[in-house]
Amino acid sequence: MENTNQSNIENQKGHSFLSHLICYLISYAGLLFFYIFFGVILLKIPSIAEMSEACQNTIISFVSYGFTAISVFIYLWFGGFRDVIMQYKKITKILFGVMYGIVLLVGTMFIGAICNYIAILLNIDLTISDNEAAIRESFKSLPVLMTVTSVLFAPFTEEVGYRLGIFGGIKQFNRPLAYIATAVIFGLIHFNFNSTNMGSELLNLPSYMFAGAWLCFVYDHEQSLAASTAAHLTNNLIVTIVQLAQYNG
């Protein structure tokens, strides 16, 4: 009953499909714009131009995600989503999100184990996805900047874009379709269509799609973007701690 009442309250606030779409566009298209823009600007700085490609990408990603997060926050505040920002003040939702994040991590590990077994049966060389490989290189190069990007900027901007934006917009018309569409799109943004090991990319895709669907469930069930952001952040934080421990071990 409580979730039903919360859902009714949310619908009464009048967030239009267009306003949800704008959340996604700022999160996704905005990030692409900043990445291209700062990629051109920053690479003109001699000290950065002389760095390795991994370091350059890490710096550009850090700045791009940072500006995207600021842009998203400004739109939420002035675009009629102040109620969403206020959700981050509710400690209980944050704590629930942390627990959901641990479930997310366990779930992706379980699915990864299944995909690894399938890879063995099909004789496919299952490695980490190209997206994950790039992230690991960034952690090795500039761990502090990459940690801030992965643990703070990325969860916030991606939750606004995919949960509030895509899922929240489509849910107004069809909830099951909202889950499917968001999970597929979230999975595909982590997919490298130019990979030289397409079999491995395909077998890594289910874990990302599960993550996309699970975070939708958290957002939908708790009626709180703060909860799904906390879940996303918790997952990324644990993965980050494990990676940093490996590099420093």
Side-chain angles (χ1 to χ4, degrees), residues 40 53 58 122 135 156 175 201:
V40 173
E53 183 178 354
T58 303
L122 299 178
I135 291 175
F156 175 63
R175 180 179 263 102
E201 286 291 308

Side-chain angles (χ1 to χ4, degrees), residues 10 152 210 213:
E10 183 185 50
L152 295 179
F210 166 76

Side-chain angles (χ1 to χ4, degrees), residues 151-198:
V151 177
L152 295 179
F153 294 156
F156 175 63
T157 57
E158 290 182 4
E159 288 310 299
V160 171
Y162 295 94
R163 254 54 66 181
L164 181 61
I166 296 177
F167 181 81
I170 299 177
K171 188 183 73 170
Q172 297 178 5
F173 308 100
N174 189 305
R175 180 179 263 102
L177 178 61
Y179 272 96
I180 295 172
T182 310
V184 171
I185 295 174
F186 189 74
L188 290 179
I189 66 167
H190 297 93
F191 188 89
N192 182 8
F193 289 92
N194 296 318
S195 175
T196 56
N197 189 353
M198 193 58 67

